[in-house]
Amino acid sequence: MRHLLNPLDFSVEETERLLELATDIEQNLPKYSHVCDGKKLATLFYEPSTRTRLSFESAMLSLGGSVLGFSSANSSSATKGESVSDTIRMISCYADITAMRHPKEGAALVASNAAKIPVINAGDGGHQHPTQTLTDLMTIRSLTGRLDNMTIGLCGDLKFGRTVHSLIEAMVRYPGIRFYLISPDELRIPGYIRQDVLEANNIEYKEVNNLDDAMPQLDILYMTRVQKERFFNEEDYIRLKDCYILDKKKMKLAKEDMFVLHPLPRVNEISTEVDDDPRAAYFRQAQYGVYVRMALIMTLLEVEKPC
Ligand code: NCD
């Protein structure tokens, strides 16, 4: 039985197979409408979510399966003090697969140790968010036709932004990837990513504060929200929250074929005036999230691709 806790749980070849399946699903959606008949997905969300939870539910429903679950810790027995391990043992009796989001780093790993069904990490604190990464990879591949030889700018909250951590871990496995890590000093990428991922793999990267200077070099700009819920001190959040705002003026500095991604939700970091720019890809990205999650559910449940 397999889980997806970290993007590295799938090799480059397995990731490629999954992205190919997701692309086939995108192109032939009706063909997949009964492949998970009778199967159940449990969504256990101890933290807020719109896209991730609903795209998982939409994905399972589009495969013919059904969904159950909770969308806040307050409506689960967590408020009574039940542990993640105990909850997941129960859920293993009620569903065939589960997607879990939790505010604590490592919660999905703890769940996977007690589970009798595949566990998908739908975000564990400020740590990892592997299904967002699969979404990001499908978006980049669909827009540019490749996952190698490009310069990616990651901008905003690189300290707490779990989508950034997962995307870096996945992308360093492709040749010719360079990063611009654009953040205020207080929100720099964690040391473990710098040392164990970037330096350990000899990846070319620059840490900078200024978005304008980096802009002309980028093939992909990945904007992120300052992660309010992970700050200890509201004053720090207020000081840092609007540190980068992508607007039309900044977009003029970018290549004609650069794409802007954002895992969403956006707060102020992308001005709505950018939404009409053909290079703004964040809403398309959210759509790809459904196809990759369909492909992921099929892969973990070992459902055959229909002919
Ligand atoms: C991201 C997350 O939850 O980490 N959202 C998402 O799943 N699309 C990004 C964020 O909340 O800023």
Side-chain angles (χ1 to χ4, degrees):
M1 191 181 53
R2 292 193 71 175
H3 309 287
L4 177 65
L5 308 175
N6 180 294
L8 302 187
D9 289 342
F10 284 162
S11 68
V12 170
E13 293 71 31
E14 287 170 327
T15 304
E16 184 59 27
R17 272 203 294 282
L18 194 140
L19 296 179
E20 269 166 21
L21 177 59
T23 305
D24 191 64
I25 292 172
E26 180 193 7
Q27 288 159 2
N28 302 289
L29 199 54
K31 196 170 92 179
Y32 290 86
S33 59
H34 291 291
V35 294
C36 284
D37 277 359
K39 302 276 188 207
K40 294 192 221 63
L41 164 77
T43 51
L44 315 182
F45 278 64
Y46 296 83
E47 251 196 355
S49 168
T50 304
R51 263 152 303 274
T52 306
R53 185 172 63 82
L54 296 182
S55 65
F56 261 116
E57 297 190 356
S58 172
M60 190 48 149
L61 295 172
S62 298
L63 293 168
S66 40
V67 296
L68 63 160
F70 52 83
S71 56
S72 83
N74 292 342
S75 61
S76 78
S77 282
T79 48
K80 299 180 186 170
E82 185 170 54
S83 68
V84 163
S85 297
D86 281 2
T87 302
I88 204 80
R89 285 178 79 151
M90 296 304 109
I91 300 297
S92 297
C93 311
Y94 308 152
D96 302 286
I97 184 164
T98 185
M100 184 180 127
R101 169 170 291 186
H102 199 283
K104 289 228 171 84
E105 288 79 9
L109 174 64
V110 169
S112 71
N113 289 331
K116 302 204 163 32
I117 56 175
V119 174
I120 301 169
N121 180 7
D124 61 329
H127 186 217
Q128 298 282 340
H129 192 346
T131 65
Q132 181 63 47
T133 296
L134 293 173
T135 303
D136 301 339
L137 296 183
M138 182 174 183
T139 308
I140 296 171
R141 206 175 80 135
S142 302
L143 296 172
T144 68
R146 65 185 198 282
L147 286 171
D148 52 15
N149 296 303
M150 62 177 78
T151 302
I152 303 176
L154 299 151
C155 177
D157 187 346
L158 309 188
K159 179 177 180 186
F160 297 118
R162 55 193 173 195
T163 64
V164 167
H165 308 158
S166 289
L167 185 58
I168 293 177
E169 289 206 10
M171 287 301 298
V172 298
R173 301 187 294 177
Y174 299 92
I177 297 297
R178 298 165 296 275
F179 292 105
Y180 271 87
L181 304 174
I182 309 152
S183 75
D185 289 339
E186 290 104 314
L187 299 179
R188 280 174 71 195
I189 200 86
Y192 81 91
I193 302 267
R194 208 175 306 120
Q195 282 128 38
D196 304 348
V197 184
L198 295 165
E199 280 161 24
N201 289 288
N202 277 322
I203 302 297
E204 204 182 310
Y205 73 95
K206 286 199 175 78
E207 290 190 278
V208 297
N209 297 134
N210 190 300
L211 174 58
D212 289 18
D213 293 347
M215 211 63 179
Q217 327 298 328
L218 307 179
D219 299 304
I220 298 286
L221 171 60
Y222 193 94
M223 293 297 294
T224 62
R225 167 181 76 90
V226 175
Q227 305 278 299
K228 182 179 182 190
E229 64 276 36
R230 315 247 180 260
F231 276 74
F232 290 113
N233 173 339
E234 190 163 0
E235 266 168 45
D236 289 342
Y237 170 70
I238 290 169
R239 187 167 46 80
L240 293 166
K241 72 184 172 68
D242 292 328
C243 51
Y244 300 102
I245 299 182
L246 182 67
D247 56 14
K248 273 194 169 159
K249 198 166 146 233
K250 285 196 171 22
M251 287 299 284
K252 288 212 174 81
L253 304 169
K255 292 183 187 170
E256 286 288 301
D257 60 352
M258 183 197 80
F259 287 104
V260 183
L261 273 64
H262 190 308
L264 302 178
R266 128 179 88 184
V267 186
N268 286 328
E269 59 281 356
I270 303 181
S271 163
T272 51
E273 67 183 24
V274 177
D275 295 358
D276 294 334
D277 190 304
R279 295 168 291 181
Y282 28 94
F283 292 117
R284 279 175 277 171
Q285 187 182 357
Q287 175 66 55
Y288 288 129
V290 179
Y291 306 130
V292 288
R293 290 184 173 100
M294 289 173 76
L296 176 64
I297 291 169
M298 284 180 65
T299 305
L300 292 179
L301 287 178
E302 298 179 3
V303 170
E304 288 291 321
K305 184 177 163 187
C307 3

